Amino acid sequence: MSKKIKDTLGGNMEVKFSDLGRVNAEFQSDFLKQVTEVLDSGSFINGEKVDIFEKQFANYCEVDFCVGVGNGLDALRLTLEAWQLLGIVDRGDEVIVPANTFIASVLAITAANLKPVLVDIDPNTMLMNLEDVEAKISSKTSVIMPVHLYGRAQDLGSLKRLQNSYNFKILEDAAQAHGAKIDGMKVGSLGDAAGFSFYPGKNLGALGDGGAVVTNDKDLAEIVRKLANYGSDKKYEHALKGCNSRLDELQAGFLSCKLPKLDAYNSLRVKIAEKYYREIRNPNIRLLTKPFDGTHVFHLFVVEVINRSAFQSFMTKNGIETLIHYPKCIHEQICYKELKNIDTELAERSAKAIVSLPIHPFMSDSEIEAVVIACNKYAP
Ligand SMILES: *Cc1c(COP(=O)(O)O)cnc(C)c1O
């Protein structure tokens, strides 16, 4: 969307879905300082900036260990592989995961030679339905992967109680929910381990790819670190058939600049969401259940609408960019066609109705207002 379009307020408005330019401009001089420091140090990989960020992020998530890796997909995959090396998970075991997640959650499972079992969602939160999870636990289930989708933390209390009767690990996919909390406990500390992504558009984003595994399990952290570094913790000694998936010094430095502002930026997202909840009044737009108790950090603001294609073109005419997260469930993707014919009707139905409204910490009041006005004027 490059050209300016006349909006409902009568002015020229262009509300972009996200604006990384504005976010990163805030940090420009800090970033340049990081670049200079890395150039001066001559250390680009496995240096002290990664160590420092890992400590800061572990501390932020209130866990003992953080291992920086190349991206969020690898954070999940390497955790699943490490559990196999530790003898906790066997090749071919089942991993329960919601059907409406981003493809990476499931790619991590199949890349680790495990079998995804898709479950349906609670249409009020879009998070996985824990009753459906319990119904799908089998003797082969060794991992359950809740996804804190859109930035909304899933309460894992009942899943943790099930761990007393069944033998499975909980791996949080926390890629969209840095800083969200359940009863004061941070996402990333709720399960046995969690994978984070620092893809630029995430609530905590680098200037390139990055990810992290956080956990209180020392053995797990050590194996993930080795796997991500060619299976080695000593130069030219390779105990494991690992890979190359490391967070680099520059990205770690950039992330250390941004981490202290994460909570403030999450609060700005929540403020925008509060206004949307207060002021969007249109029977053709369904908002999900309200979550203003710290559980939601609004990586995305997702609503369901009647006649989505009409809604999106109406918003475009009003200068407002919208996106869909995600237009297809996992089993509706060609690469996972073998998973079709499962019973996840609510996830399928919602994939056809959902749309994401702009929400980012640097939206101006008039941009937020323009979204509200356009939403309230929409008639399918
Ligand atoms: C972004 C994302 C990932 C993957 O992270 P990358 O850093 O892009 O590999 C995994 N799961 C979810 C839910 C995500 O949104």
Side-chain angles (χ1 to χ4, degrees):
M1 245 191 24
S2 55
K3 68 178 192 304
K4 304 234 171 194
I5 306 163
K6 257 207 176 329
D7 76 321
T8 38
L9 297 166
N12 280 320
M13 174 62 73
E14 184 188 16
V15 185
K16 290 206 278 184
F17 188 77
S18 66
D19 198 335
L20 295 180
R22 277 192 235 176
V23 179
N24 288 326
E26 182 86 1
F27 293 99
Q28 180 141 348
S29 61
D30 294 341
F31 289 164
L32 292 174
K33 188 163 162 269
Q34 294 297 324
V35 173
T36 308
E37 285 176 11
V38 168
L39 284 173
D40 288 348
S41 78
S43 172
F44 302 97
I45 300 279
N46 290 345
E48 72 175 6
K49 285 192 187 290
V50 173
D51 285 347
I52 292 169
F53 174 71
E54 287 176 342
K55 293 207 173 66
Q56 292 168 335
F57 197 63
N59 189 44
Y60 180 83
C61 293
E62 296 164 6
V63 295
D64 293 338
F65 306 100
C66 168
V67 182
V69 296
N71 52 68
L73 167 64
D74 281 354
L76 299 169
R77 174 178 67 85
L78 294 172
T79 303
L80 295 169
E81 289 179 359
W83 275 332
Q84 292 176 63
L85 290 164
L86 286 165
I88 291 165
V89 171
D90 289 327
R91 194 187 168 100
D93 278 355
E94 294 175 358
V95 181
I96 296 180
V97 63
N100 64 337
T101 187
F102 179 57
I103 195 82
S105 318
V106 186
L107 289 173
I109 297 169
T110 51
N113 295 306
L114 299 168
K115 184 170 176 282
V117 173
L118 303 179
V119 292
D120 211 351
I121 57 164
D122 172 348
N124 294 313
T125 61
M126 303 291 181
L127 302 179
M128 71 180 181
N129 178 331
L130 296 178
E131 281 165 25
D132 196 26
V133 170
E134 188 167 1
K136 287 187 172 158
I137 293 178
S138 80
S139 59
K140 297 287 270 174
T141 305
S142 58
V143 180
I144 296 180
M145 189 193 288
V147 181
H148 305 298
L149 200 66
Y150 309 149
R152 184 191 287 251
Q154 178 141 38
D155 189 340
L156 305 181
S158 63
L159 263 192
K160 292 184 84 141
R161 282 190 290 281
L162 284 179
Q163 283 185 302
N164 299 324
S165 348
Y166 304 95
N167 202 11
F168 61 80
K169 291 283 184 193
I170 299 175
L171 172 55
E172 300 171 66
D173 181 341
Q176 300 189 356
H178 320 66
K181 287 185 210 163
I182 294 278
D183 296 331
M185 281 179 68
K186 285 265 174 68
V187 151
S189 72
L190 305 171
D192 297 296
F196 282 92
S197 164
F198 306 121
Y199 179 79
K202 301 289 160 95
N203 286 28
L204 180 61
L207 303 186
D209 279 315
V213 175
V214 303
T215 182
N216 288 317
D217 182 339
K218 186 161 188 261
D219 296 339
L220 177 68
E222 275 175 8
I223 298 214
V224 169
R225 187 179 297 288
K226 249 191 236 179
L227 279 176
N229 188 40
Y230 296 122
S232 168
D233 55 9
K234 195 168 163 224
K235 224 172 181 150
Y236 308 125
E237 297 289 339
H238 303 275
L240 304 170
K241 295 189 186 83
C243 67
N244 174 358
S245 181
R246 299 173 295 214
L247 186 65
D248 65 69
E249 287 288 287
L250 271 179
Q251 299 307 333
F254 298 147
L255 289 165
S256 287
C257 297
K258 289 176 87 174
L259 181 59
K261 285 277 185 83
L262 173 59
D263 286 342
Y265 287 162
N266 281 345
S267 302
L268 290 171
R269 291 173 182 271
V270 169
K271 279 221 154 54
I272 299 168
E274 281 171 344
K275 185 171 164 85
Y276 286 165
Y277 270 90
R278 247 185 349 258
E279 297 185 13
I280 296 177
R281 292 266 173 276
N282 184 336
N284 301 301
I285 301 176
R286 185 177 80 85
L287 276 61
L288 309 184
T289 42
K290 251 190 216 167
F292 294 119
D293 49 1
T295 58
H296 204 323
V297 292
F298 290 96
H299 173 58
L300 296 169
F301 193 94
V302 174
V303 297
E304 282 189 349
V305 295
I306 310 276
N307 195 349
R308 179 170 63 194
S309 59
F311 178 80
Q312 285 198 287
S313 27
F314 177 80
M315 295 301 272
T316 304
K317 272 198 212 100
N318 285 280
I320 295 161
E321 189 181 13
T322 59
L323 295 174
I324 301 169
H325 301 89
Y326 298 93
K328 287 180 180 177
C329 292
I330 297 298
H331 56 289
E332 296 171 320
Q333 296 290 353
I334 290 170
C335 67
Y336 284 120
K337 57 183 186 301
E338 72 272 19
L339 299 178
K340 68 175 191 238
N341 301 323
I342 53 153
D343 180 19
T344 54
E345 194 190 320
L346 298 173
E348 283 157 40
R349 206 185 301 161
S350 96
K352 296 188 178 74
I354 47 176
V355 61
S356 308
L357 304 179
I359 190 162
H360 64 80
F362 285 79
M363 279 177 88
S364 67
D365 289 346
S366 60
E367 288 176 319
I368 301 165
E369 189 67 23
V371 174
V372 170
I373 291 176
C375 281
N376 287 342
K377 279 194 176 166
Y378 169 63

